[in-house]
């Protein structure tokens, strides 16, 4: 389903969003409708539009997985706003990072954890890559383990991206596919990961923080090795199993078969794809 937009899309009230989003009944599912405004939206505005659309899936009484990253931040802000306005009630959030936890607390969103709520109604989060089968690469922000734990426990997982994140195959952007590893002998683990995918021209690099060059440390006290591929890595389920069999690996950033709905924000509007 395609949804054209107006530049006045971004508003503080839900009613403004509802009048701005127009779904033409004659538009075939999956096709982009022509733009209704000549205004050019920034990438962050597109992210905000997609995030607000995703929050329309939220209902009072839900237990929600709260994603991490620039797009998910807009969704969390919107949930907090609707709670404050009384348009949502009895929401419980499960954050996927310390950063999102802090954001949710500042907005007054009640929080819990997977121990208390092992099954969630819905999660909303962004992605770094999405292939045609709705498989994802996530974790370039460093929160992949908690994201996978929370979003793997959801009945519905709504993913929000801009169209630049769409790829023919995972790794196709040439950017990082993250793997969270334990700090112990990290170089040994990185070398094994690189060798595992040498046929795809893999280069493994330890993620570092800022100019100091110190290893980036996740919320869980682990390191991240970023894998860069020159070619398709083939069967994703086999690749996943091979990575997870390596001692020292905690989790990888391929989210396979988890997304149930994809919302893509682009120059012509929003496209929604359901699995």
């Amino acid at each position: 389903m395609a949804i054209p937009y107006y530049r006045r899309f971004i508003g503080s009230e839900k009613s403004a969003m509802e009048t701005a989003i127009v779904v033409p009944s004659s538009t075939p599912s999956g096709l982009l409708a022509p733009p209704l405004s000549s205004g050019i939206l920034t990438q962050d505005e597109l992210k905000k539009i997609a995030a607000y659309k995703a929050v329309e899936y939220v209902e009072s009484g839900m237990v929600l997985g709260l994603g991490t990253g620039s797009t998910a931040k807009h969704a969390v802000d919107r949930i907090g706003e609707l709670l404050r306005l009384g348009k949502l009630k009895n929401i419980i959030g499960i954050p996927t990072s310390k950063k999102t936890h802090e954001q949710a607390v500042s907005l007054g969103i009640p929080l819990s954890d997977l121990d208390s709520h092992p099954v969630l109604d819905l999660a909303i989060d962004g992605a770094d890559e999405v292939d045609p089968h709705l498989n994802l690469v996530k974790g370039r922000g460093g929160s992949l383990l908690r994201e996978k734990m929370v979003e793997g426990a959801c009945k519905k997982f709504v993913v929000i991206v801009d169209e630049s994140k769409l790829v023919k195959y995972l790794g196709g952007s040439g950017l990082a596919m993250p793997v969270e590893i334990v700090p112990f002998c990290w170089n040994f683990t990185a070398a094994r990961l690189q060798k595992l995918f040498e046929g795809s021209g893999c280069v493994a690099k330890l993620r570092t923080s800022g100019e100091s060059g110190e290893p980036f440390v996740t919320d869980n006290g682990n390191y991240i090795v970023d894998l860069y591929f020159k070619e398709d890595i083939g069967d994703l389920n086999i690749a996943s199993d091979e990575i997870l069999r390596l001692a020292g690996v905690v989790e990888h950033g391929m989210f396979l078969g988890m997304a149930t709905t994809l919302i893509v924000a682009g120059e012509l509007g929003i496209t929604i794809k359901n699995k």
Side-chain angles (χ1 to χ4, degrees), residues 49-258:
I49 291 167
Y52 276 40
K53 185 63 183 173
V55 174
E56 292 182 10
Y57 289 87
V58 178
E59 299 176 2
S60 293
M62 280 187 167
V63 180
L64 302 174
L66 305 177
T68 298
S70 58
T71 307
K73 180 182 182 299
H74 290 308
V76 177
D77 283 340
R78 181 61 171 166
I79 291 166
E81 180 183 33
L82 293 177
L83 279 170
R84 178 177 57 81
L85 295 173
K87 296 183 178 181
L88 285 177
K89 298 180 180 180
N90 302 319
I91 292 296
I92 296 175
I94 313 293
T96 55
S97 67
K98 292 179 179 179
K99 186 174 183 179
T100 300
H101 183 282
E102 293 170 359
Q103 179 192 5
V105 167
S106 73
L107 294 169
I109 300 174
L111 299 179
S112 188
D113 56 34
L114 292 174
D115 291 334
S116 301
H117 298 277
V119 179
L120 284 65
D121 296 296
L122 171 70
I124 299 173
D125 206 353
D128 301 306
E129 291 184 2
V130 184
D131 77 6
H133 306 289
L134 302 194
N135 295 312
L136 318 172
V137 168
K138 290 177 52 58
R140 290 179 190 157
S143 302
L144 63 103
L145 176 59
R146 297 191 186 191
E147 288 173 337
K148 188 171 284 190
M149 290 177 68
V150 171
E151 290 151 11
C154 294
K155 297 176 184 177
K156 187 176 184 65
F157 178 23
V158 178
V159 177
I160 322 164
V161 296
D162 64 80
E163 59 190 356
S164 70
K165 305 299 175 62
L166 303 180
V167 296
K168 293 181 179 179
Y169 58 87
L170 295 193
S173 69
L175 301 176
M177 198 282 279
V179 180
E180 187 161 342
I181 66 170
V182 298
F184 176 73
C185 295
W186 67 264
N187 198 43
F188 170 77
T189 306
R192 295 186 74 190
L193 285 166
Q194 181 168 305
K195 184 173 178 57
L196 196 60
F197 297 104
E198 60 184 352
S200 298
C202 178
V203 175
K205 297 182 180 179
L206 180 71
R207 186 178 299 185
T208 56
S209 298
E211 297 179 358
S212 66
E214 292 296 314
F216 172 87
V217 179
T218 71
D219 286 347
N220 316 298
N222 297 316
Y223 291 174
I224 287 182
V225 170
D226 288 318
L227 305 182
Y228 299 86
F229 304 105
K230 293 182 179 178
E231 298 178 17
D232 191 343
I233 61 174
D235 189 302
L236 297 177
N237 290 302
I238 292 175
S240 171
D241 291 343
E242 290 179 338
I243 292 172
L244 294 175
R245 276 200 293 265
L246 292 180
V249 168
V250 178
E251 189 53 86
H252 59 69
M254 291 186 292
F255 286 49
L256 308 180
M258 293 177 59

